[in-house]
Amino acid sequence: MTSRRSFSGSTATDRPPPSAASARTWSTAVDARLLARKPATLSMREAAALPLAVITAWEGLVDRAGVRAGQKVLVHGGAGGVGSVAVQIAAARGAEVFATASAARTPLVRRLGAVPIDYTSVPVERYVAEHTGGAGFDIVFDTVGGPVLDASFEAVRTYTGHVVSALGWGTHALAPLSFRAATYSGIFTCCRC
């Protein structure tokens, strides 16, 4: 049985109803357990995008890679939508988090709870050596794709490491990942599914 709950006064209901010619409806019945109020600090656009970013980050880090306390996690694109959520999820689960970003975005990455790595000036070999003693990261979450996924294969820990990519399509050399005997998961979360 679906329970009913009123969300009157929210910004979503402050808009006038669409015209009669519109294919949209002004109200619908939904399961109240699936609803949440839009935080006042977010715009409608930000609030609409947040669930997809959270689901993508959660699926990659928790469902696929099993992130847990004590692990070293590298998030590529840590200042982006999915990356910023991934940083916070990994930190909340007790991981030591590192994230790549441009120099201008490193303060944001630090505020989110990660050690920032300026990808424009620090090569993979150097940040792997500096932050893992050359052992590699337990989990590498790629939110950028392309050459960054290839770099992820070089940054992951041997034997027990796991690379997760939200943009893993294209042609990639799997040899660096295979030589490390690490694992890989590709995730695809779509807003039109």
Side-chain angles (χ1 to χ4, degrees):
M1 182 171 152
T2 302
S3 61
R4 293 180 181 228
R5 187 167 41 168
S6 172
F7 281 90
S8 63
S10 71
T11 56
T13 60
D14 291 341
R15 297 181 184 173
S19 70
S22 171
R24 298 175 291 171
T25 61
W26 179 240
S27 64
T28 187
V30 297
D31 186 336
R33 295 172 299 178
L34 301 177
L35 299 177
R37 287 192 182 275
K38 179 188 80 61
T41 57
L42 298 179
S43 70
M44 287 300 289
R45 183 176 295 225
E46 291 166 334
L50 194 56
L52 187 58
V54 172
I55 290 166
T56 303
W58 186 273
E59 181 181 351
L61 286 173
V62 178
D63 294 345
R64 300 290 178 93
V67 66
R68 62 186 180 280
Q71 290 183 311
K72 288 191 176 204
V73 175
L74 172 64
V75 177
H76 285 299
V82 173
S84 63
V85 173
V87 165
Q88 294 172 80
I89 289 172
R93 295 182 70 89
E96 185 178 1
V97 187
F98 304 83
T100 60
S102 66
R105 305 289 297 225
T106 58
L108 170 62
V109 166
R110 188 176 309 282
R111 282 193 309 274
L112 293 173
V115 174
I117 299 169
D118 179 357
Y119 73 90
T120 64
S121 65
V122 182
V124 176
E125 303 79 23
R126 191 165 116 207
Y127 64 72
V128 168
E130 182 179 334
H131 298 297
T132 72
F137 295 91
D138 297 299
I139 298 171
V140 180
F141 191 155
D142 164 41
T143 69
V144 180
V148 175
L149 178 55
D150 295 326
S152 299
F153 296 156
E154 297 175 24
V156 71
R157 178 181 291 278
T158 301
Y159 301 120
T160 59
H162 192 96
V163 174
V164 179
S165 181
L167 295 166
W169 46 82
T171 303
H172 299 278
L174 297 177
L177 183 68
S178 297
F179 293 148
R180 286 177 173 71
T183 56
Y184 170 77
S185 293
I187 56 171
F188 180 70
T189 308
C190 175
C191 61
R192 295 183 187 191
C193 298

